Amino acid sequence: MRLSRDVAVIGAGMTRFHHRIHADKTGRELFVEAALEAKESVDNGIDLGDVGALYLGNFSSDAFEGQAHSAALLADWLGLTPKPATRIEDACASSGVAVNIGVMAIASGAYDVVMVGGVEKMRGLSTGGVTDTLAMAADALYEVGAGFTFPGLYAALATAHFAEFGSNWEQLAAITIKNHRNGALNPKAHFQAEIMETAKRLGERNNMTFDDEMDFLRSSLNTVVAYPLRLFDCCPISDGSAVVLLAAGEVARKYTDTPIYIRGMGQASDTMALHDRKELTTLRATKLAASQAYKMAGVNPGDIGVADVHDCFTIAEVFATEDLGFFPKGEGGKAAAEGRTALDGDVAINPDGGLKAKGHPVGATGAAMTYEVFKQMRGEAGGRQVADIRYGLVHNVGASGATVSIQVYGR
Amino acid sequence: MRLSRDVAVIGAGMTRFHHRIHADKTGRELFVEAALEAKESVDNGIDLGDVGALYLGNFSSDAFEGQAHSAALLADWLGLTPKPATRIEDACASSGVAVNIGVMAIASGAYDVVMVGGVEKMRGLSTGGVTDTLAMAADALYEVGAGFTFPGLYAALATAHFAEFGSNWEQLAAITIKNHRNGALNPKAHFQAEIMETAKRLGERNNMTFDDEMDFLRSSLNTVVAYPLRLFDCCPISDGSAVVLLAAGEVARKYTDTPIYIRGMGQASDTMALHDRKELTTLRATKLAASQAYKMAGVNPGDIGVADVHDCFTIAEVFATEDLGFFPKGEGGKAAAEGRTALDGDVAINPDGGLKAKGHPVGATGAAMTYEVFKQMRGEAGGRQVADIRYGLVHNVGASGATVSIQVYGR
């Protein structure tokens, strides 16, 4: 894939991902909060009138808020009207795909600047209601009808991976600990050091070491959700929004001296139902989308210094780091347990805490990943800053891998 | 707007729009039926492997079928996997907008051929359930919460138009009669001469003249839905799918000797809620999107020989023909009553029967309009063929005008 024009990120904003603090807000309010922060983040200023179009990732405001047609509505609330506003829905990859659509819209010549956002206001429903709603992203007839929801689907993937490669739950727990530690450094994260906080509330000691945390995660307090996945293997249900501003290469420097370019991108699909796949220990769509993105960017996995990958469940981070080529197949869990994915590891995976600790308002996740990689590559990530990044990567997965979008970012 | 590459339609297919005949089919089956017809329609043949990506317009398979993430699912059922598959949702303009996205994807250089489809399987719900689900395309907090559904919103627009311009319900009834007569010539239409059929079933005479039909529509058998709109002013609830294949200009002639080019396109948004608009007798988004599309194509409204416009209610066709510039403001109803929008009129409006008679499976409508204009411009429209067309136009509206997409087609 070769695009007709270069495209760069020139600004990014996001709400905190959380539940309680957003309890009284609607999706439209969350989006406006993130969009205004994105606007303010543009170094040399930007007028909303410069924005040619809005591409909005949203999974199901229909089911969560009784509100469809959300792109036009949110454009209206932000003051973008009468600019074109388009909603993209590809399950949990909605705003990752929206970034690709935004890039193509600019590359086509149609616009010089576009806004790409994502939003999900999920907590109006009960946990069970959210779980059922999210299950609509799987095959409603053949998977959900048979009793599957997403914890079960990812538990099946984990079981297959454990069986084929001898990977194990302790490796997943190491990912939990890493991502919660990273989240503790991220003021936008849903959970900020919540393992320790939870443990403290439950009467455990302060100042837990890695071994203490592992002991806590092994305890019955960390209840099994879908074997082998326990509560702390699952991302929380969060509300939130994230927004990025994209500009054509030739105008980007008008807005900022440090644009971050989309050097490569990819997207692929896979069978919706797990039972139709030839193998259960890899997400083929990740491999294909990554291959497109690496080729377009002219880079190898080893060139990536920071990656936000889709860890809706801890096992998904194992799949991602293997399928993206950071580690050999079967060794992603081991690499995480050895600290090779920490902020100072071979490749920093999910420095923002990942979906696990940062939260996962599903439609907002791809845009929030882009926010993080943008901040990291500009050296603006504060206490969680990763050193010496040449390239960054965003990996956003829809459902159990039927959609994957990837971007490779460079300077 | 000027795009980096030319883009043409090279094939199109659609299911019949109907309710009963699709009662046992799922959305995925409807889509595959339309997609295979589109594939077969490509004169020199096409391999599905040539398709670079799928853009799918769908309003709410979530609410209608309990199935989100429908683009990846449908790609899977058609055999497009692992190609990228993206769902676009902009209410009733979902697949009209998807056409624009498909054009930009090709113009960006990302793909040479893309598939753009639309699908809606609505009739699993009751009429009331469908009406409530469609209402999610309006402002859930401020319009729906106040009691509005779409018949009411368009009734408000009709009332404002009657008051300002002295237009009247008889003009709307003339549109009903025209669109049902056109639908009678379209084997894909939901209603084929249904006014006469209905009248016959209700004991009225055979072989009704225009005046007989008008008398029937004036009678209490044509019940008021939302004053001044009666039953026959409202499009039916239909199931169906439509699919078009787009190709870059430089490869289009490999597939067909008669590609139909997208010479212009536009998209605009408006406030979601009617009460936020300065005027209620025009859809500003139609005017803005049309202005973009005409300018890009280098044409004037008078150059358009055939137009598929969004007549979810008869009054919407009046708004469309005025806001698209075919007739002066306030004179769209009069023009229709004078026969100027008939197959042999100044401009043939909705030769396929329009949403009114062809049906309106909402996510499929924009793609089905494209199907019709493609067939018309290739001279393949059978009994409803319009003569001497230089340019064709597709006008697709989301909700009460918060989204409008337009394409201008030429050879």
Side-chain angles (χ1 to χ4, degrees):
Chain A
M1 192 185 299
R2 192 176 297 277
L3 299 182
S4 310
R5 296 167 98 186
D6 283 340
V7 180
V9 185
I10 57 167
M14 66 180 282
T15 66
R16 185 174 170 193
F17 285 180
H18 205 258
H19 54 309
R20 281 192 308 276
I21 68 166
H22 297 319
D24 293 336
K25 294 176 194 162
T26 59
R28 59 188 91 181
E29 291 167 302
L30 292 169
F31 169 75
V32 168
E33 186 180 326
L36 291 179
E37 187 180 294
K39 175 184 183 297
E40 292 306 314
S41 80
V42 176
D43 299 322
N44 303 333
I46 189 168
D47 192 291
L48 282 182
D50 292 358
V51 174
L54 167 67
Y55 298 99
L56 178 80
N58 172 258
F59 170 58
S60 194
S61 56
D62 320 28
F64 291 125
E65 299 190 88
Q67 178 69 68
H69 203 187
S70 44
L73 178 72
L74 271 45
D76 181 8
W77 277 66
L78 180 61
L80 281 182
T81 308
K83 298 300 173 70
T86 303
R87 174 183 164 212
I88 312 294
E89 188 273 307
D90 268 355
C92 305
S94 295
S95 59
V97 169
V99 170
N100 282 2
I101 298 281
V103 169
M104 290 192 289
I106 290 174
S108 76
Y111 311 108
D112 286 339
V113 177
V114 305
M115 177 178 283
V116 177
V119 65
E120 211 80 53
K121 167 70 183 178
M122 308 167 72
R123 300 283 301 214
L125 300 185
S126 65
T127 300
V130 171
T131 304
D132 287 344
T133 299
L134 292 176
M136 295 196 302
D139 188 320
L141 289 182
Y142 295 97
E143 291 183 308
V144 184
F148 266 116
T149 57
F150 277 99
L153 289 164
Y154 275 92
L157 294 174
T159 301
H161 197 279
F162 289 4
E164 183 164 345
F165 300 114
S167 49
N168 58 54
W169 177 83
E170 277 71 17
Q171 293 166 350
L172 304 188
I175 290 172
T176 299
I177 292 170
K178 169 185 71 75
N179 284 353
H180 276 265
R181 286 182 176 185
N182 289 351
L185 303 170
N186 180 3
K188 303 281 193 177
H190 185 146
F191 292 133
Q192 298 177 17
E194 196 79 357
I195 290 184
M196 288 78 119
E197 293 299 320
T198 303
K200 271 191 286 184
R201 274 193 271 118
L202 294 167
E204 300 284 332
R205 291 196 310 281
N206 284 343
N207 304 319
M208 297 170 84
T209 64
F210 180 91
D211 289 341
D212 294 333
E213 292 185 312
M214 186 64 85
D215 284 344
F216 169 74
L217 290 175
R218 272 199 200 96
S219 75
S220 62
L221 294 170
N222 188 16
T223 187
V224 171
V225 171
Y227 180 85
L229 302 178
R230 296 167 172 236
L231 182 62
F232 275 88
D233 291 299
C234 309
C235 69
I237 298 168
S238 314
D239 296 333
S241 179
V243 172
V244 299
L245 285 159
L246 307 182
E250 66 268 30
V251 303
R253 286 189 184 274
K254 188 175 95 185
Y255 296 106
T256 175
D257 294 336
T258 50
I260 302 298
Y261 291 86
I262 292 103
R263 294 298 185 196
M265 65 183 210
Q267 187 185 339
S269 65
D270 200 349
T271 71
M272 194 75 166
L274 286 190
H275 57 245
D276 286 327
R277 299 196 191 159
K278 285 194 183 133
E279 49 181 349
L280 288 181
T281 53
T282 197
L283 293 193
R284 184 171 63 143
T286 294
K287 294 180 81 162
L288 291 170
S291 148
Q292 295 163 28
Y294 289 144
K295 187 175 170 194
M296 180 175 158
V299 301
N300 294 308
D303 297 322
I304 306 295
V306 62
D308 248 47
V309 309
H310 199 90
D311 61 320
C312 46
F313 299 91
T314 46
I315 185 64
E317 185 167 314
V318 175
F319 275 64
T321 58
E322 294 169 358
D323 294 335
L324 290 166
F326 298 143
F327 305 108
K329 198 67 217 171
E331 297 184 18
K334 180 164 163 282
E338 291 170 354
R340 296 174 61 191
T341 59
L343 293 183
D344 60 353
D346 306 3
V347 52
I349 302 290
N350 291 331
D352 53 4
L355 284 55
K356 177 68 211 72
K358 185 183 59 181
H360 182 31
V362 293
T365 283
M369 291 169 154
T370 306
Y371 168 96
E372 177 67 9
V373 170
F374 176 70
K375 293 290 180 189
Q376 288 284 352
M377 297 201 60
R378 305 226 306 183
E380 298 170 353
R384 65 188 189 283
Q385 181 65 49
V386 177
D388 303 326
I389 307 166
R390 282 183 60 217
Y391 292 96
L393 181 144
V394 163
H395 165 255
N396 195 192
V397 176
S400 53
T403 297
V404 173
S405 69
I406 290 179
Q407 294 91 30
V408 170
Y409 292 92
R411 286 188 193 83
Chain B
M1 193 186 299
R2 190 177 299 276
L3 299 182
S4 310
R5 296 166 98 188
D6 282 340
V7 180
V9 185
I10 57 167
M14 65 181 283
T15 66
R16 185 176 171 193
F17 285 181
H18 206 258
H19 53 312
R20 279 191 310 275
I21 66 165
H22 298 317
D24 293 335
K25 295 176 194 162
T26 59
R28 58 188 91 181
E29 290 167 301
L30 293 168
F31 168 76
V32 168
E33 186 180 326
L36 292 179
E37 187 179 295
K39 175 183 182 296
E40 292 306 313
S41 80
V42 176
D43 298 322
N44 302 333
I46 189 168
D47 191 292
L48 282 183
D50 292 359
V51 174
L54 167 67
Y55 298 99
L56 178 80
N58 171 260
F59 171 57
S60 194
S61 56
D62 322 26
F64 291 125
E65 299 190 87
Q67 180 68 66
H69 202 185
S70 44
L73 178 72
L74 271 46
D76 181 8
W77 277 65
L78 180 61
L80 280 182
T81 307
K83 299 299 173 68
T86 303
R87 174 182 165 214
I88 311 293
E89 188 274 304
D90 268 356
C92 305
S94 294
S95 60
V97 169
V99 169
N100 283 1
I101 298 281
V103 169
M104 290 191 289
I106 290 174
S108 76
Y111 311 108
D112 285 340
V113 177
V114 304
M115 177 178 282
V116 177
V119 65
E120 211 81 52
K121 168 70 183 179
M122 309 167 72
R123 298 283 302 215
L125 300 184
S126 65
T127 301
V130 171
T131 304
D132 287 344
T133 299
L134 292 176
M136 294 197 301
D139 189 319
L141 289 182
Y142 294 98
E143 291 182 308
V144 185
F148 266 116
T149 58
F150 278 100
L153 289 165
Y154 275 91
L157 294 174
T159 302
H161 197 278
F162 289 4
E164 184 164 345
F165 301 114
S167 48
N168 58 56
W169 176 84
E170 278 71 18
Q171 294 166 349
L172 304 188
I175 290 172
T176 299
I177 292 169
K178 168 185 71 74
N179 284 352
H180 276 265
R181 287 183 174 182
N182 290 350
L185 303 169
N186 181 3
K188 304 280 193 177
H190 184 146
F191 292 133
Q192 298 177 19
E194 195 79 356
I195 291 183
M196 290 78 119
E197 294 300 320
T198 303
K200 271 192 286 186
R201 273 192 273 120
L202 293 168
E204 300 284 329
R205 291 196 310 283
N206 284 342
N207 304 317
M208 297 169 85
T209 65
F210 180 91
D211 289 342
D212 295 333
E213 292 185 311
M214 186 62 86
D215 284 345
F216 169 74
L217 291 175
R218 271 198 201 98
S219 76
S220 60
L221 295 170
N222 188 17
T223 187
V224 171
V225 172
Y227 181 83
L229 302 179
R230 295 168 173 235
L231 183 62
F232 277 87
D233 292 299
C234 310
C235 69
I237 297 168
S238 314
D239 297 332
S241 179
V243 171
V244 298
L245 285 159
L246 307 182
E250 66 267 30
V251 302
R253 285 188 185 275
K254 187 175 94 183
Y255 296 106
T256 176
D257 294 336
T258 50
I260 301 299
Y261 292 86
I262 292 103
R263 294 298 184 198
M265 65 183 211
Q267 185 184 341
S269 65
D270 200 350
T271 70
M272 194 77 165
L274 287 189
H275 58 243
D276 286 327
R277 299 193 192 161
K278 286 197 180 126
E279 48 180 350
L280 288 181
T281 54
T282 198
L283 293 193
R284 185 172 62 142
T286 295
K287 294 181 80 163
L288 291 170
S291 150
Q292 295 163 28
Y294 289 144
K295 188 175 169 193
M296 180 175 158
V299 302
N300 294 307
D303 296 321
I304 306 294
V306 62
D308 248 47
V309 309
H310 199 93
D311 62 319
C312 46
F313 300 91
T314 46
I315 185 65
E317 184 166 314
V318 176
F319 275 65
T321 59
E322 294 170 357
D323 295 335
L324 290 166
F326 298 143
F327 305 108
K329 198 67 216 172
E331 297 183 19
K334 180 165 163 281
E338 291 170 353
R340 297 175 62 192
T341 58
L343 293 182
D344 60 354
D346 307 1
V347 53
I349 301 291
N350 290 331
D352 54 5
L355 283 55
K356 178 67 211 70
K358 184 182 58 179
H360 182 30
V362 293
T365 283
M369 292 168 152
T370 306
Y371 167 96
E372 177 66 9
V373 171
F374 176 70
K375 294 289 181 191
Q376 288 284 351
M377 295 199 63
R378 306 226 304 183
E380 300 170 351
R384 65 188 190 282
Q385 181 65 50
V386 177
D388 303 325
I389 305 166
R390 281 184 60 219
Y391 292 95
L393 181 144
V394 163
H395 166 257
N396 194 192
V397 176
S400 53
T403 297
V404 173
S405 68
I406 290 178
Q407 294 91 30
V408 171
Y409 293 91
R411 288 188 192 81

